Amino acid sequence: MTHLRRGGFLAFEGGDGAGKTTQLDLLESWFQELAVPYERTREPGGTVIGERIRSLVLEHDQGEVDPRTEALLFAASRAAHVVQRIEPALQAGRFVLCDRYVDSSVAYQGVGRELGAQAVAEINAFATGGLQPDLTVVLDIDPSAARARREGRDGLSDRIESAEDAFHDRLRHAFLDRAAAAPQRYLVLDAAASAQALHAAIRERVQEMLGQELSNP
Ligand code: TYD
């Protein structure tokens, strides 16, 4: 029988198509094999109120949502998530696998929607009471390389695609800047690697958090 003294909070971040879902699935299967108690959740969402906020901000029939309103809605969803799901799970000794967290707001609202990384970090510090993941996995993807891969040999970029690449590149650097500011709490991986190689790298790092008795089942 294994006894975990405390749970661990793992967040997964990255741009569109970086492979977060695949990596969350693989980590979840591994936790099941090891009988590690965990909860998988996502943002925005994860609570009743959070899922309602999710449809407000992500569905396209809700009228115009200005950047400040959007940032506050994501932060409100996160506040509920921390109090209702994440903290209780951690206190019960469970691991929390969270698809996106504060860094997504800093990237998408702070940098993408130009509210400023600092301002968005501050409202999120308020929303979360300062709760930070023990580890944030950033699946780093080069937007133009990702697109070129998708398009194969016909991948000549037009003006719109280049503009989109520039936008996604700014988001990408927002994640990388956050990681560089606190490297001990981040694992940045090149999302161009195979799913198995990425999973192996994540496992190695998470194994350190699980403790000796779980590392050799
Ligand atoms: P989702 O359909 O879950 O996409 P993904 O699989 O890429 O996570 O939609 C989440 C979208 O919400 C995604 O485009 C990123 C955005 N988002 C923000 O803009 N700010 C945030 O704080 C969060 C959590 C997500």
Side-chain angles (χ1 to χ4, degrees), residues 12-18 20-21 42-45 54 57-58 70-71 74-75 77-78 99-109 113 120 124 175:
F12 282 70
E13 299 277 12
D16 299 336
K20 282 187 289 100
T21 304
R42 67 170 179 184
E43 293 202 347
R54 180 181 182 89
V57 285
L58 296 183
E70 184 182 282
F74 280 118
S77 165
R78 186 163 294 128
D99 187 345
R100 300 192 179 280
Y101 191 60
V102 172
D103 293 1
S104 280
S105 281
V106 172
Y108 286 86
Q109 282 65 56
R113 301 210 69 180
V120 173
N124 277 281
F175 288 121

Side-chain angles (χ1 to χ4, degrees), residues 132-215:
Q132 292 178 328
D134 297 296
L135 181 67
T136 299
V137 177
V138 176
L139 296 176
D140 179 43
I141 187 152
D142 174 64
S144 56
R147 183 167 49 75
R149 266 210 316 275
R150 276 199 309 276
E151 293 172 351
R153 285 178 304 153
D154 305 328
L156 290 178
S157 66
D158 64 19
R159 197 168 47 83
I160 293 170
E161 284 170 337
S162 301
E164 281 176 3
D165 285 353
F167 176 78
H168 287 292
D169 209 49
R170 285 172 41 228
L171 296 185
R172 177 191 187 199
H173 283 97
F175 288 121
L176 294 178
D177 287 350
R178 297 273 294 173
Q184 71 287 358
R185 286 192 282 103
Y186 282 82
L187 176 63
V188 179
L189 297 172
D190 180 355
S194 72
Q196 282 308 328
L198 293 170
H199 177 57
I202 293 167
R203 245 192 208 211
E204 191 182 330
R205 184 70 177 262
V206 171
Q207 210 154 35
E208 294 165 16
M209 298 168 69
L210 289 177
Q212 194 58 40
E213 64 272 60
L214 285 177
S215 62

